Amino acid sequence: MSNLKYQHIIKKMTLEQKASLMSGKDFWQTQDILSLGIPSIFLADGPHGIRKQAVSSSQMGFNQGIPATCFPTEATVANSWNIELSEAVGSYLGKEAVSQNVHVLLGPGINMKRSPLCGRNFEYFSEDPYLAGKLAASYIRGVQTHGISACVKHYCAKNQEERSMSLNTIVDERALREIYLTAFEIAVKEGKTKAIMSSYNKLNGEYTNENLHIMVNILRDEWEYDGCVITDWGGSSDRVKGIKAGNELEMPSSGGETDRQIIDAIKSNELAEEQLDECVDRVLDLVLKTSQIGKTPSMPFDVAKHHRISQKMAEESIVLLKNKDDILPIKYNKKVAVIGDFAKEARYQGSGSSQVNPTILENTLECFAESGITSIGYAQGFLRNGKTQKKLVKTACELAQKADVVLLYLGLDELSEVQGLDRKDMRLPSNQIELLNTLYKVNENIVVCLSSGSAIEMPWIIKVKGLLHGYLSGQAGARALLRIISGDVNPSGKLAETYPYRYEDTPTYNHFPGKEASVEYRESVYIGYRYYDTANVNVLFPFGFGLSYTSYEYSDLKVNSEGVTFKITNTGSVPGMEIAQLYIHCQSKAIFRPYKELKGFKKVFINPGETKEITISFDDKSFRYFDIENNSWEVEESSYDILIGSSSQDIKLTDSLFITGTSKQQTYTNHSLKHYQSGQIQNVPSHEFEQLLGYPLPSPLWDRNRPLDYNDSIAQCIYAKGLVIRISFRFFQLIMWLLERTGQRKAYNFLKVSVYNMPFRALSLLTGGKISFQTVDGILLIANGHFFKGIGTILKKKQKGRNDV
């Protein structure tokens, strides 16, 4: 115990008190022990704004929060590529958290955008781990300047929402290290995050919060992380295994259910009390350090000032994707028709746990007066629910005929990108495309203003002259977009993800979503641009792409062992901000790898005619790869092409540099990995993926022959041996089918997320123990064909929990 920070407190604690600290007090607060001076702290959702529920913290669910600034989502912020500005946003988030007595802010989210269909992509930065990690570290630094903690999530390899609480993610070690852990590594080492949230899923057969490889070997030993690990809500499977792996805090409260498991494990010598003491010490460190903010009266934040910084971030994150005939910015004497439901009711954030109740919400139609743009009117054009109404289209066309330019606001609605569900395709709703096609017949001067949190297909792009992608730009996004349309602001955002022509072109097309039991990452390290650029797949918009109202010229590249310098000149007539990107290509073919990888970037403001010299330094991640033979990071001895570009495919300057290697051992010498060597990974056969993994693939299907258990989802009741449960589940499926067929999408989504995809254990873990594990045991007995035994178990006196210790 001598290495513990709080041994003077821990030695006074009973075993029962120690166990009680390992689980929440209620849905949002940690357990307090006031007799020992240990207070509760409050945890709140907050990747892009504080969502502290206005109702009691004992209530679960996505209840409306206290008003807070709704900043642009991470998917939007990533397009700014601005580390300094993202740190400022983090600082404003931290200040608002303090004002609401929130001690741990649950964000940022830094999972990779493996597939464009992941329903939570709006909450993640990028398909690139380096960019995501750098932006996350800046967010964390900003948040934690106020004495509270950020909680980076979800650790790790959580890239699918469907069945995420029971899904087994199968990924090779090199891809795990280079793609799915690198952003977390940067968040820990550079951001110094005080808390990390473990993910729901299994990783190569073990739940992440019980996985000793990622929790102990990598996180604690290799990265020397000494902060607190918190489960995702309801994300604890085996509590004792979680403690052994150093997953300290289980959220929400289990009502004492898991306290007893910990106590029993120590009494039976299954768990050493010293291990529990280490976990208690880290929880105390988080609680006692962050609880200091509650000792002084909370100060209200400046609502208007925070709104302005939200607008600034939105302005730097909006991406100009097309500008034929320089239709943008719109000249002051042009008559503009505003069409589209999103112009009146903006789509400015995602749905789910991150949904913020904004302090202010600007409306496009109300902002026109100050924009200098002459609007001749507004037409709704389409219904948000996807249904076609010809009268709306007719009215929109009548308005468009009178205009010089049509501003057409399109996008995905609130029920299309949802926590807990994945998208079914990459398309816009058909009624929006039909509207665009009809408008094009009466007015070809169309500028689309797009709202969505992730990539979409755009076969209709040939019918528009201008395209501005606002992503989900927060409460000030409407005004920010109009300032770019009017020319008051020069667009400077660049895409943090690739836009393929069609979903079939994506590297995960054949392996997303995962089947019943598992999802296979057969593409390995080839996600996003790493795949498209290696396999020579044409894309609509490459990673890092974004247009400007001015032009830039790159010159005078100099490369040495420390990094690169080069010059950028603004050759246009208006000031602008350019994002210069450093990519590195290894000339050796001995070890398969993507053709190029992002290893640095810088955003710089340049006036017309001005030249600025840019310096980007190499770091420990510039030339490394993970050597699976040595189980270590190595540098391959080779010449490397140093590529400076304005996107991953628009390379402006090139030079080369020879780098001395750290290891002479050749990786993969005993493997036949032709698909990975070529980068053509859409159809990797099982035997080749097994060679890469080093073990046989488990079945992707549920085992129909075994009994249902805690970690099986409710969806598996279709295989229940108990007739009562099987009939009840069929009736439940019928209700869901009727809801979907009748367009009741909100109710359908709720049942799919909160019932259908939930594992049995969540019945207890997400109700604060109101449904006991004993009751869950009874339900499982009934499901497995033991009806009377199950009823008897449910009716037995509830076992003792926290209230009895």
Side-chain angles (χ1 to χ4, degrees):
M1 190 181 284
S2 59
N3 294 324
L4 302 180
K5 295 179 182 178
Y6 301 96
Q7 58 179 311
H8 61 290
I9 298 176
I10 296 173
K11 67 183 181 181
K12 298 177 184 177
M13 299 174 70
T14 66
L15 178 57
E16 288 77 10
Q17 287 174 325
K18 293 175 185 179
S20 73
L21 280 185
M22 297 296 97
S23 183
K25 177 181 180 179
D26 52 32
F27 208 77
W28 298 108
Q29 296 183 95
T30 62
Q31 181 68 28
D32 55 17
I33 306 176
L34 297 180
S35 62
L36 294 174
I38 302 171
S40 291
I41 59 172
F42 199 100
L43 301 88
D45 289 309
H48 63 273
I50 316 301
R51 194 184 73 88
K52 184 177 183 181
Q53 292 188 160
V55 299
S56 167
S57 62
S58 64
Q59 293 190 37
M60 65 174 291
F62 300 146
N63 298 291
Q64 188 177 59
I66 297 168
T69 307
C70 181
F71 293 95
T73 69
E74 279 96 329
T76 315
V77 168
N79 295 333
S80 76
W81 297 61
N82 191 328
I83 289 175
E84 293 76 16
L85 186 56
S86 64
E87 185 166 340
V89 168
S91 180
Y92 282 96
L93 282 167
K95 190 168 186 176
E96 292 194 29
V98 170
S99 76
Q100 295 190 22
N101 285 319
V102 168
H103 306 85
V104 178
L105 195 61
L106 302 175
I110 57 172
N111 297 97
M112 292 295 97
K113 294 186 176 184
R114 175 178 177 254
S115 168
L117 299 189
C118 175
R120 211 166 176 179
N121 274 352
F122 63 83
E123 205 171 316
Y124 304 142
F125 286 109
S126 178
E127 65 186 33
D128 182 84
Y130 188 85
L131 176 60
K134 291 293 184 179
L135 290 169
S138 67
Y139 251 60
I140 293 163
R141 289 192 296 267
V143 168
Q144 295 187 166
T145 56
H146 297 279
I148 67 167
S149 174
C151 182
V152 68
K153 59 186 186 182
H154 309 83
Y155 186 76
C156 63
K158 179 181 182 290
N159 310 101
Q160 176 179 325
E161 287 297 293
E162 292 272 0
R163 302 186 303 282
S164 64
M165 293 184 79
S166 56
L167 197 69
N168 183 18
T169 297
I170 301 173
V171 57
D172 70 277
E173 183 69 13
R174 187 164 159 218
L176 177 67
R177 293 299 199 108
E178 294 184 11
I179 304 298
Y180 299 101
L181 289 182
T182 292
F184 286 98
E185 179 186 358
I186 296 171
V188 168
K189 293 181 176 179
E190 299 180 22
K192 308 293 184 185
T193 186
K194 296 176 185 176
I196 291 176
M197 182 186 292
S198 56
S199 58
Y200 284 133
N201 55 287
K202 293 178 184 176
L203 176 64
N204 294 325
E206 292 182 286
Y207 281 100
T208 58
N209 72 311
E210 302 166 8
N211 191 307
L212 295 175
H213 178 52
I214 61 168
M215 295 290 290
V216 177
N217 299 340
I218 297 174
L219 181 62
R220 301 293 185 187
D221 296 342
E222 185 179 320
W223 298 348
E224 299 181 342
Y225 177 67
D226 63 356
C228 184
V229 178
I230 304 168
T231 68
D232 203 341
W233 267 235
S236 176
S237 171
D238 185 314
R239 191 67 193 107
V240 175
K241 284 184 178 179
I243 294 291
K244 288 180 178 179
N247 194 157
E248 290 84 17
L249 182 58
E250 172 194 51
M251 290 300 289
S253 169
S254 67
E257 292 274 344
T258 56
D259 298 4
R260 177 60 59 188
Q261 295 172 10
I262 295 170
I263 293 167
D264 290 346
I266 288 178
K267 289 182 176 179
S268 66
N269 294 319
E270 180 188 354
L271 176 68
E273 191 165 355
E274 290 76 14
Q275 283 185 293
L276 177 60
D277 288 345
E278 290 179 6
C279 291
V280 170
D281 193 57
R282 287 193 284 257
V283 170
L284 287 174
D285 196 46
L286 179 68
V287 169
L288 296 178
K289 285 182 177 178
T290 60
S291 63
Q292 298 300 313
I293 68 166
K295 294 184 178 180
T296 56
S298 59
M299 298 293 291
F301 61 92
D302 187 330
V303 171
K305 185 177 181 180
H306 286 219
H307 183 75
R308 287 194 297 273
I309 196 71
S310 180
Q311 179 181 315
K312 171 66 174 170
M313 177 54 86
E315 288 172 358
E316 287 206 23
S317 303
I318 293 167
V319 188
L320 177 61
L321 294 174
K322 185 175 182 180
N323 198 18
K324 184 180 179 182
D325 299 333
D326 291 328
I327 194 169
L328 293 173
I330 292 177
K331 310 303 185 289
Y332 72 92
N333 60 342
K334 297 291 185 180
K335 295 182 295 183
V336 173
V338 183
I339 298 173
D341 193 52
F342 293 101
K344 186 176 182 181
E345 300 289 339
R347 169 90 197 288
Y348 59 95
Q349 65 175 323
S351 298
S353 63
S354 66
Q355 197 160 340
V356 178
N357 181 14
T359 54
I360 301 168
L361 183 56
E362 292 186 331
N363 181 288
T364 299
L365 302 181
E366 294 171 355
C367 291
F368 262 97
E370 63 184 69
S371 70
I373 301 171
T374 303
S375 170
I376 63 169
Y378 162 75
Q380 182 179 352
F382 60 86
L383 292 174
R384 216 176 184 89
N385 62 11
K387 294 181 180 179
T388 300
Q389 192 171 104
K390 293 182 179 180
K391 184 179 178 181
L392 293 179
V393 175
K394 181 182 178 183
T395 303
C397 288
E398 289 172 352
L399 181 64
Q401 286 178 310
K402 304 172 186 176
D404 297 315
V405 178
V406 174
L407 283 184
L408 181 58
Y409 285 74
L410 305 178
L412 299 177
D413 71 5
E414 290 78 2
L415 299 178
S416 298
E417 297 175 290
V418 183
Q419 178 180 343
L421 296 174
D422 297 310
R423 289 196 288 158
K424 295 179 180 179
D425 56 56
M426 283 180 62
R427 298 187 292 271
L428 282 179
S430 58
N431 66 334
Q432 294 186 34
I433 298 173
E434 289 170 15
L435 172 65
L436 170 58
N437 290 336
T438 308
L439 288 172
Y440 180 73
K441 296 175 182 178
V442 301
N443 192 331
E444 296 184 3
N445 293 321
I446 299 173
V447 174
V448 166
C449 303
L450 199 59
S451 298
S452 70
S454 54
I456 60 172
E457 295 174 357
M458 301 183 190
W460 41 261
I461 195 171
I462 58 174
K463 293 184 178 179
V464 305
K465 287 190 175 181
L467 177 57
L468 277 168
H469 201 334
Y471 268 70
L472 302 178
S473 50
Q475 65 181 51
R479 177 174 273 109
L481 193 64
L482 283 175
R483 280 172 56 78
I484 286 176
I485 291 170
S486 68
D488 288 342
V489 173
N490 187 355
S492 62
K494 296 198 175 189
L495 294 175
E497 60 185 319
T498 308
Y499 275 56
Y501 278 106
R502 56 187 192 135
Y503 178 56
E504 290 81 357
D505 294 336
T506 63
T508 57
Y509 173 66
N510 292 317
H511 298 283
F512 184 95
K515 294 196 173 108
E516 294 174 326
S518 65
V519 56
E520 298 171 1
Y521 286 32
R522 292 202 188 193
E523 73 283 355
S524 186
V525 296
Y526 297 104
I527 75 165
Y529 73 90
R530 285 169 164 78
Y531 165 66
Y532 301 114
D533 290 357
T534 305
N536 295 314
V537 176
N538 291 327
V539 298
L540 179 61
F541 296 118
F543 175 82
F545 175 83
L547 300 174
S548 171
Y549 294 155
T550 190
S551 55
Y552 302 99
E553 182 179 283
Y554 288 64
S555 63
D556 201 17
L557 173 62
K558 294 182 175 64
V559 179
N560 59 38
S561 60
E562 301 298 316
V564 303
T565 62
F566 54 95
K567 294 176 180 177
I568 302 179
T569 302
N570 184 339
T571 56
S573 58
V574 295
M577 300 183 78
E578 172 67 337
I579 300 166
Q581 301 156 43
L582 164 66
Y583 297 89
I584 294 180
H585 162 69
C586 180
Q587 293 183 8
S588 170
K589 304 298 182 185
I591 299 166
F592 77 78
R593 63 175 76 202
Y595 182 79
K596 68 170 83 76
E597 296 179 281
L598 180 74
K599 299 297 181 179
F601 57 91
K602 188 157 289 186
K603 189 168 190 176
V604 59
F605 178 84
I606 313 176
N607 281 309
E610 183 183 14
T611 298
K612 285 195 174 177
E613 185 171 83
I614 311 300
T615 299
I616 301 178
S617 299
F618 298 137
D619 62 20
D620 63 325
K621 298 169 186 64
S622 296
F623 302 99
R624 74 178 190 177
Y625 75 97
F626 192 79
D627 188 327
I628 60 168
E629 304 294 340
N630 294 330
N631 192 38
S632 62
W633 290 101
E634 304 290 350
V635 174
E636 183 180 5
E637 187 163 297
S638 176
S639 290
Y640 291 80
D641 291 329
I642 310 301
L643 313 172
I644 306 298
S646 63
S647 80
S648 67
Q649 293 189 3
D650 187 8
I651 303 302
K652 305 289 188 180
L653 304 170
T654 304
D655 202 344
S656 62
L657 180 69
F658 181 80
I659 298 293
T660 303
T662 58
S663 174
K664 303 295 184 183
Q665 184 171 338
Q666 294 296 308
T667 306
Y668 308 120
T669 51
N670 298 320
H671 298 81
S672 176
L673 303 169
K674 64 178 183 178
H675 288 84
Y676 295 107
Q677 294 288 355
S678 67
Q680 304 289 340
I681 46 71
Q682 270 205 331
N683 296 292
V684 175
S686 296
H687 68 85
E688 187 173 334
F689 187 43
E690 288 177 336
Q691 285 193 60
L692 192 66
L693 287 173
Y695 63 86
L697 280 170
S699 171
L701 303 177
W702 290 317
D703 183 353
R704 272 77 160 159
N705 297 317
R706 65 169 176 80
L708 298 178
D709 63 29
Y710 280 173
N711 295 321
D712 290 321
S713 72
I714 304 300
Q716 284 177 263
C717 286
I718 193 172
Y719 306 124
K721 292 181 174 62
L723 184 61
V724 172
I725 294 293
R726 204 162 61 244
I727 291 173
S728 299
F729 182 71
R730 288 292 190 186
F731 181 69
F732 174 71
Q733 283 186 309
L734 176 62
I735 292 173
M736 290 189 64
W737 179 81
L738 289 171
L739 289 172
E740 188 174 28
R741 286 295 299 268
T742 56
Q744 304 296 311
R745 294 171 64 208
K746 190 171 184 178
Y748 173 85
N749 286 356
F750 176 78
L751 289 177
K752 189 79 179 285
V753 172
S754 63
V755 180
Y756 190 83
N757 286 326
M758 283 290 178
F760 282 95
R761 69 174 187 271
L763 295 175
S764 179
L765 294 174
L766 287 176
T767 60
K770 290 181 175 66
I771 298 176
S772 68
F773 279 118
Q774 181 176 303
T775 300
V776 177
D777 287 337
I779 294 171
L780 283 168
L781 283 167
I782 295 170
N784 290 318
H786 306 288
F787 180 81
F788 293 107
K789 189 176 181 181
I791 292 295
T793 300
I794 293 171
L795 295 177
K796 280 181 184 177
K797 185 178 179 182
K798 185 179 177 182
Q799 294 173 352
K800 291 185 178 181
R802 174 175 296 166
N803 295 332
D804 304 303
V805 298

